[in-house]
Amino acid sequence: MNKAFLFDLLSTGSVSGSETVLEKKIYDYMQDKADKVEVDELGNVTAILNPEAPFKVLMAGHADEIGLMITAVSEDGMLKVTRIGGIYTTTYPGHKVRIYTKNGVIYGAVANSRNIAKNAELKASDLRIDIGAKDKEDALRYVELGDTATFDTDVREMLNDCITGRALDDRLGAYIVMEALAEAKKKGTTAVCYSVSTTGEETTGNGAYFTASRVKPNICIAVDVTYTSDNCGIDTADTGDISVGKGPVICNNPSIHKKLNELLRACATKLNMEIQTEAANGRTGTDGDTMHQTGIGVPFALVSIPLRYMHNPDEVGSLKDVQDCIDLLAEFFVCCSETPDLKPF
Ligand SMILES: [Zn+2]
């Protein structure tokens, strides 16, 4: 695992719709690891192996993260915001943020007070970001409406291969699909392999739609994070019995293809790898739902990285799970060298 590159990705701002800086890093990183690397108009980066083969497998991890967008500036120079994706608004007051402007990052502090701290119903429109501006005019010299912001946090290593940081969801997934493709190349897969770091999953799903519509894969796998039951107040009836550090998670739900799950299980068995299973109703809430419904319809599966405290600035995951996901998905690319029969009977 290239930890330095992974941690660089996790330290880069990529709020949904503004993923360009991060996508360019992935584009550069994959140049010598794939047969071809492409970028489209949205900034989706797709790495490709064996472009001439008949059976196409597409794996997607989303490069975007949740955050804030600057919507207005008050006369005293404080920034007002709206939310991008499913943030926990109450986690912002009292914390530092990075604002990504066209001239680079500037830093801000999210206003807090006893009254704000007591407000459990706090909305994004209640937040105020102090950038030290003298007034509105001063602030607008540095910040443009539509600029995005995230917590000013970095990734840290913890005990037992655990890491903590913001937006491991789903920059871990974007990293995993790329490394899985690089590994599959070394293992000599002959399937057409596509790995994409998608834009927009937390908001519009446009990255997955553009990519799957254009690639027209035979099957696809979404690689994202999932909730675990190994922390306070979680009911296993909602999440299943899922823990950080116990391996990749395969999902059973009405839209996920059972034969693809069987293939994933066979790959795990071959690798002697422990995997976990979650069950969910309806849609998965991932790029998988979008890719599934493109073109003439695409069978899909979901491989998830167990994650504590999803959408908080201190998400916790495991590097061991990340490596297991890479190995499992590389093996899956290899097993697709033989076209699988996906008809249920
Ligand atoms: Zn996600």
Side-chain angles (χ1 to χ4, degrees):
M1 178 183 311
N2 188 334
K3 222 196 295 183
F5 178 67
L6 173 60
F7 284 19
D8 182 30
L9 291 186
L10 294 173
S11 304
T12 304
S14 62
V15 176
S16 207
S18 305
E19 305 92 343
T20 310
V21 174
L22 187 136
E23 292 282 20
K24 177 69 166 63
K25 288 182 182 183
I26 294 173
Y27 181 83
D28 292 342
Y29 182 71
M30 291 306 292
Q31 288 302 320
D32 59 354
K33 296 179 178 60
D35 294 342
K36 215 161 137 189
V37 189
E38 292 178 345
V39 60
D40 71 8
E41 304 92 324
L42 291 183
N44 292 295
V45 171
T46 306
I48 307 163
L49 296 181
N50 312 315
E52 307 305 329
F55 190 75
K56 295 187 205 170
V57 186
L58 171 62
M59 294 193 192
H62 69 88
D64 62 316
E65 63 175 314
I66 59 169
L68 304 173
M69 180 181 275
I70 316 304
T71 52
V73 182
S74 58
E75 290 305 322
D76 59 2
M78 298 286 259
L79 311 185
K80 299 181 182 181
V81 298
T82 188
R83 68 180 179 89
I84 301 287
I87 65 164
Y88 287 86
T89 313
T90 52
T91 56
Y92 281 85
H95 287 276
K96 298 185 286 296
V97 289
R98 294 176 197 161
I99 299 147
Y100 304 93
T101 77
K102 66 172 183 290
N103 295 317
V105 172
I106 66 166
Y107 295 92
V110 184
N112 200 9
S113 67
R114 288 192 193 284
N115 276 343
I116 292 171
K118 270 190 244 164
N119 183 1
E121 305 295 316
L122 200 73
K123 301 185 296 295
S125 56
D126 297 324
L127 300 175
R128 295 289 179 275
I129 301 178
D130 181 349
I131 56 169
K134 294 189 188 82
D135 53 28
K136 183 174 182 176
E137 197 187 329
D138 190 27
L140 286 171
R141 268 197 281 273
Y142 301 92
V143 175
E144 229 179 282
L145 302 187
D147 284 348
T148 57
T150 64
F151 286 105
D152 179 25
T153 57
D154 277 322
V155 60
R156 298 283 182 223
E157 293 189 66
M158 299 161 65
L159 303 178
N160 299 311
D161 289 321
C162 287
I163 56 172
T164 181
R166 68 159 217 278
L168 306 188
D169 172 11
D170 183 37
R171 283 95 66 84
L172 290 182
Y175 174 73
I176 286 167
V177 296
M178 293 300 164
E179 291 291 16
L181 182 129
E183 199 51 42
K185 183 176 168 73
K186 287 187 211 151
K187 289 176 132 193
T189 180
T190 55
V192 198
C193 306
Y194 290 84
S195 280
V196 59
S197 51
T198 56
T199 61
E201 192 271 350
E202 300 285 4
T203 49
T204 63
N206 59 1
Y209 177 77
F210 271 47
T211 306
S213 300
R214 293 167 183 200
V215 167
K216 300 186 175 70
N218 296 92
I219 56 174
C220 56
I221 296 190
V223 181
D224 210 321
V225 298
T226 193
Y227 294 98
T228 62
S229 55
D230 59 355
N231 60 93
C232 42
I234 308 284
D235 186 342
T236 53
D238 296 326
T239 60
D241 191 3
I242 305 293
S243 299
V244 165
K246 291 195 178 166
V249 183
I250 289 176
C251 181
N252 277 323
N253 93 347
S255 59
I256 284 172
H257 204 283
K258 292 176 177 54
K259 284 212 162 174
L260 291 180
N261 276 351
E262 279 172 27
L263 282 177
L264 284 163
R265 283 182 203 291
C267 292
T269 304
K270 190 169 172 201
L271 297 170
N272 208 10
M273 182 189 291
E274 297 279 334
I275 55 172
Q276 309 181 78
T277 303
E278 65 180 351
N281 56 14
R283 295 164 64 84
T284 64
T286 70
D287 276 341
D289 299 333
T290 309
M291 297 190 292
H292 182 49
Q293 303 208 11
T294 55
I296 56 170
V298 186
F300 87 108
L302 173 64
V303 171
S304 298
I305 312 133
L307 190 79
R308 295 185 197 131
Y309 326 127
M310 194 189 299
H311 287 196
N312 281 279
D314 62 344
E315 293 178 344
V316 170
S318 153
L319 291 177
K320 182 184 163 298
D321 291 336
V322 170
Q323 186 61 53
D324 281 356
C325 286
I326 292 168
D327 295 344
L328 178 68
L329 294 169
E331 186 60 34
F332 187 85
F333 271 139
V334 172
C335 97
C336 289
S337 300
E338 267 177 52
T339 302
D341 175 11
L342 297 178
K343 298 263 172 68
F345 56 84

